[in-house]
Amino acid sequence: MVREKVTVSTRTLEWKCVESRVDSKRLYYGRFILSPLMKGQADTIGIAMRRALLGEIEGTCITRAKSEKIPHEYSTIVGIQESVHEILMNLKEVVLRSHLYGTRNASICVSGPGYITAQDIISSPSVEIIDHTQHIASLTEPIDLCIELQIQRNRGYGIKAPNNFKDGSYPIDAVFMPVRNANHSIHSYGNGNENQEILFLEIWTNGSLTPNEALHEASRNLINLFIPFLHGEEEKEDNQHTVTLPLFTFHDRLAKLKKNKKEIAFKSIFIDQLELPPRIYTCLKRSNIHTLLDLLNNNQEDLMKIEHFYIEDVKEIFGFLEKYF
C-alpha cells in the first residue's frame, strides 16, 4: 500500500484539487479533498455529492437519426460495412458539449468510399464535438449517405420508446450524464474525542466537462434542491402579509400589436433566447413552457404554482421580458 502525504486545512473548511489529469479526449480524472469535517459529515457530503454528480448534471447527446436509405433499424445497406443498428450505436458514443437548451438539428452527408467519423457531423456553432475521431461508419463503395440528426440537452438516461418510427426516424438511447464515475473515501485523523475527517472525492468525466466543472455544477444543483426548505418560514410570513406584485401586462400589448398588424412571431422565440438562469429555465421547461408565447399565456399566479418557483423568480422573468418590450 502506497502512503500519500496531503496538506490539508485544520481550522477553516476548505477544498482543493490534489490531482488532475487527461487520460484521453473522452476521459478526464480529478481528485479533490474537503477538510476539516466533524465525524460523520464526510459520509453525508460524499454520498450526496456522488448522487448529484451522477444524476443531476445535464449533458448533450444525439437522440434521433433519420435517413431515406434506412428501411428499418436492423437492416444492412449495400456499400456500408456496418449494419444500421451498429451505426446508431456509434452515434450514441459521440460526445458533445453545449450550454444551450432545447433541440438542435445536425446532419451527416458523405460520399464513399471512405470512413465517416464525428468530424463529418455538421451542426450549429452552439454544439461542440469533443472527439472528432469517433468512428461512425465505413463506406466501401462510391455511394452517398446522408443522415439527419437530432441533438438534445438533458440529464440522466433517455430511453427510446418502442414503435416510435412513424416519421422514418430512429430514436437513440441517450446517456446524457457527463460524469462516468464518482467515488468518495474518508480519512480520519486526530486524538481521542477530537477526531476530524477528510473527504476524498474522485471524478471521471467523458471530456464534455472537466471534473472541476462537474463538481461546481453538481454542488450548485444540490444547493438548489434544498432552497425550498430555507424558504419554509418565509412562506408562512407571506401568508400573513400578502404582497401583491404587478401582473404581467404583456397580454394587452399583444392585443394592441395584433390590431396594428405588427404581431411579433412569439411562437418562434424560444425561452432559450432569454438567457434565463438554469434553474428557472428548467422549471419552465418541465411545465411545458417552451416559447415566449407560452410564457406570456401565464400570469403571476400561474407561474407561482410551478414547483420550486419563487417570488424572486417571477421578478427576474419580468426583468428579462422587459428587454423585449
Side-chain angles (χ1 to χ4, degrees), residues 99-129:
H99 293 292
L100 297 181
Y101 292 87
T103 302
R104 298 288 180 270
N105 294 322
S107 63
I108 298 174
C109 197
V110 179
S111 299
Y115 296 99
I116 301 177
T117 64
Q119 186 175 2
D120 297 307
I121 298 177
I122 303 173
S123 61
S124 64
S126 62
V127 179
E128 177 187 354
I129 301 172

Side-chain angles (χ1 to χ4, degrees), residues 38-257:
M38 292 188 292
K39 187 176 181 179
Q41 288 183 337
D43 206 30
T44 301
I45 298 173
I47 293 173
M49 283 302 303
R50 184 177 186 274
R51 293 183 65 89
L53 285 164
L54 294 174
E56 297 297 329
I57 301 180
E58 295 181 340
T60 305
C61 289
I62 297 174
T63 56
R64 191 173 292 271
K66 180 179 180 181
S67 177
E68 297 178 355
K69 292 188 176 183
I70 300 178
H72 59 82
E73 183 179 358
Y74 298 99
S75 63
T76 58
I77 302 175
V78 177
I80 301 179
Q81 182 175 324
E82 292 81 4
S83 66
V84 174
H85 180 72
E86 289 174 327
I87 294 175
L88 294 177
M89 291 301 98
N90 290 337
L91 289 172
K92 177 182 176 180
E93 296 299 322
V94 175
V95 179
L96 303 171
R97 176 187 175 103
S98 174
H99 293 292
L100 297 181
Y101 292 87
T103 302
R104 298 288 180 270
N105 294 322
S107 63
I108 298 174
C109 197
V110 179
S111 299
Y115 296 99
I116 301 177
T117 64
Q119 186 175 2
D120 297 307
I121 298 177
I122 303 173
S123 61
S124 64
S126 62
V127 179
E128 177 187 354
I129 301 172
I130 301 301
D131 184 8
H132 290 83
T133 63
Q134 167 63 41
H135 179 74
I136 297 176
S138 302
L139 305 183
T140 58
E141 296 182 10
I143 63 171
D144 295 332
L145 178 63
C146 291
I147 304 175
E148 298 176 15
L149 304 175
Q150 186 181 83
I151 297 174
Q152 187 178 356
R153 179 180 171 90
N154 209 325
R155 65 185 181 92
Y157 290 98
I159 306 299
K160 63 181 181 182
N163 304 322
N164 192 11
F165 311 99
K166 295 181 180 179
D167 60 347
S169 62
Y170 297 86
I172 301 174
D173 287 340
V175 182
F176 293 104
M177 300 179 299
V179 176
R180 291 299 184 227
N181 194 14
N183 289 329
H184 82 278
S185 57
I186 302 168
H187 173 72
S188 300
Y189 65 96
N191 297 317
N193 296 327
E194 297 182 358
N195 278 351
Q196 292 182 313
E197 296 179 338
I198 305 173
L199 172 64
F200 287 82
L201 193 62
E202 294 180 289
I203 303 172
W204 291 263
T205 70
N206 64 358
S208 61
L209 286 180
T210 65
N212 200 337
E213 291 173 329
L215 184 62
H216 179 271
E217 187 168 343
S219 302
R220 183 182 60 191
N221 293 341
L222 197 58
I223 291 172
N224 288 338
L225 291 175
F226 285 96
I227 286 179
F229 297 103
L230 300 177
H231 287 267
E233 293 299 324
E234 295 179 10
E235 290 178 359
K236 292 181 180 179
E237 295 177 1
D238 289 341
N239 291 335
Q240 297 174 359
H241 306 283
T242 303
V243 179
T244 304
L245 293 177
L247 298 179
F248 295 128
T249 59
F250 297 101
H251 301 288
D252 298 333
R253 299 193 182 188
L254 178 59
K256 292 179 180 178
L257 289 171

